[in-house]
Amino acid sequence: MTEKLPAYSELPDGRAWGLWGEDDQLGCLNKITPEAVTAAAKLVRKGAVFPLNLRIDRPDPPLHGRGAVKVTMVGEGTNGRDDYLDNFWPQASSQWDSLRHIRHPRDGFYNGVADKDIFAGGGKLGIENMARRGIAGRAVLLDLERYFRAAGRPLGFSSSTPVTTADLEACREAQGVEIRTGDILLLHFGWLRWYTRDATAEERLALGDRSLHRAPGLAPGEEMASYLWDLHIAAIAADNSALEMWPPDRDREDGFLHWKLIPHFGMPIGELWWLADLADDCAADGVWECFFTSAPLNVPGGVGSPPNALALK
């Protein structure tokens, strides 16, 4: 099926339901074939490794109403140590959204999964499906921060700036990189580097307030949904707080891109990934592709997980 994927215009009601079977729980990850993994492994040429996870206690304060993790160590005074986490929200830091993270308000969960099959500790569409499969393949990075800066219109990191399909294409063409079926698309907005290095304490505090949170990201709408589907990527991740511009317009069906990508397409979304070091290296050597691996936590019925992602060049 990966060789004959339909165009967006050919998807019934704009949904990819049933494309990989009536009981499919992997969605677009099905696009990553063994042949694609083998080819991607050959992209490791200089032995450079780029971890893509933030510290587990960042951002601080947490965003989108999530909680702050507390780490406790036990065993002091003995020859061994253990630790445990309290208030651990798997989506508070670098994260994957599983296919149960978002339901479409009219159509429901991906592939028609019923609400009764979404429950804590089990059911369908949990992060364990991604974990048991494992994610490895070719990743392409689009360095939007450098593209916008070179174009003389740098992104405002505390503003709801929409990045359009024309912007994505112009960036891709400027880098001279091809996006292929089954790729993981990484978008470097420069947001996390700004947040960790340049944002003031007052700006970080405001970002932790859901009513005040503003951030640049992908523009919503049918054009963006069609563009991303027709790339036939397996997943998409970014270094900003929600992949798309924030806040979304949930009063419009096409005003919240998450509603298309997760429940309609079955496309996992990654957010708050540390892409700055990878972007710097890509800019230095002009190579915008890499071998990518990710091992989400195997949590039955999990809504999200740290990606535990690596980019290798």
Side-chain angles (χ1 to χ4, degrees):
M1 181 61 72
T2 56
E3 296 177 359
K4 298 180 180 179
L5 289 167
Y8 179 75
S9 61
E10 299 171 315
L11 292 178
D13 299 317
R15 302 190 301 240
W17 295 6
L19 191 60
W20 293 285
E22 293 182 0
D23 196 42
D24 174 59
Q25 298 184 62
L26 289 172
C28 291
L29 293 180
N30 286 291
K31 299 175 185 178
I32 306 176
T33 64
E35 294 78 14
V37 177
T38 301
K42 298 173 184 176
L43 297 174
V44 182
R45 301 184 180 102
K46 61 183 182 181
V49 181
F50 300 92
L52 306 183
N53 274 37
L54 270 178
R55 281 176 45 164
I56 203 169
D57 59 348
R58 296 292 186 271
D60 181 24
L63 310 179
H64 304 303
R66 291 163 180 146
V69 67
K70 178 184 178 183
V71 183
T72 300
M73 186 175 71
V74 297
E76 292 89 337
T78 73
N79 291 327
R81 300 290 188 274
D82 265 322
D83 59 5
Y84 60 90
L85 306 179
D86 282 315
N87 203 40
F88 172 48
W89 292 60
Q91 292 168 281
S93 186
S94 303
Q95 65 186 269
W96 276 123
D97 292 341
S98 79
L99 299 188
R100 64 164 45 188
H101 173 56
I102 292 287
R103 76 186 299 284
H104 191 278
R106 182 192 63 240
D107 300 332
F109 289 100
Y110 169 69
N111 225 21
V113 168
D115 286 13
K116 66 179 178 62
D117 291 323
I118 304 293
F119 52 85
K124 295 184 177 182
L125 304 182
I127 198 74
E128 74 274 17
N129 295 287
M130 297 167 62
R132 289 198 300 258
R133 184 198 185 283
I135 305 170
R138 179 178 183 258
V140 168
L141 183 133
L142 295 185
D143 194 344
L144 295 162
E145 188 276 329
R146 278 181 172 83
Y147 165 73
F148 279 104
R149 182 156 39 87
R153 47 191 184 107
L155 287 168
F157 294 116
S158 57
S159 65
S160 303
T161 304
V163 173
T164 67
T165 60
D167 295 325
L168 294 177
E169 267 302 288
C171 180
R172 184 193 65 78
E173 290 177 1
Q175 293 178 190
V177 66
E178 176 189 3
I179 299 172
R180 302 170 189 159
T181 296
D183 282 352
I184 295 90
L185 181 59
L186 306 176
L187 302 180
H188 178 244
F189 291 95
W191 192 86
L192 266 187
R193 177 144 52 188
W194 166 80
Y195 178 92
T196 57
R197 186 182 66 185
D198 299 325
T200 66
E202 291 76 16
E203 286 173 319
R204 290 194 294 273
L205 190 62
L207 287 165
D209 184 331
R210 299 178 81 174
S211 67
L212 300 176
H213 189 97
R214 301 289 184 274
L218 294 184
E222 196 83 359
E223 180 180 343
M224 181 61 71
S226 174
Y227 173 83
L228 293 178
W229 174 264
D230 286 342
L231 289 177
H232 294 316
I233 53 177
I236 187 168
D239 69 337
N240 61 351
S241 60
L243 176 67
E244 59 188 299
M245 59 179 283
W246 202 263
D249 183 357
R250 290 190 177 93
D251 292 331
R252 294 169 37 204
E253 182 174 338
D254 67 349
F256 190 29
L257 192 59
H258 275 58
W259 284 340
K260 290 299 297 183
L261 300 190
I262 293 178
H264 276 183
F265 295 170
M267 184 180 293
I269 294 175
E271 298 155 339
L272 293 170
W273 289 22
W274 182 255
L275 301 176
D277 297 329
L278 176 61
D280 288 346
D281 188 81
C282 291
D285 67 11
V287 177
W288 302 95
E289 60 181 356
C290 60
F291 181 51
F292 171 90
T293 69
S294 174
L297 298 179
N298 195 343
V299 179
V303 175
S305 170
N308 303 312
L310 298 173
L312 299 92
K313 293 180 68 179

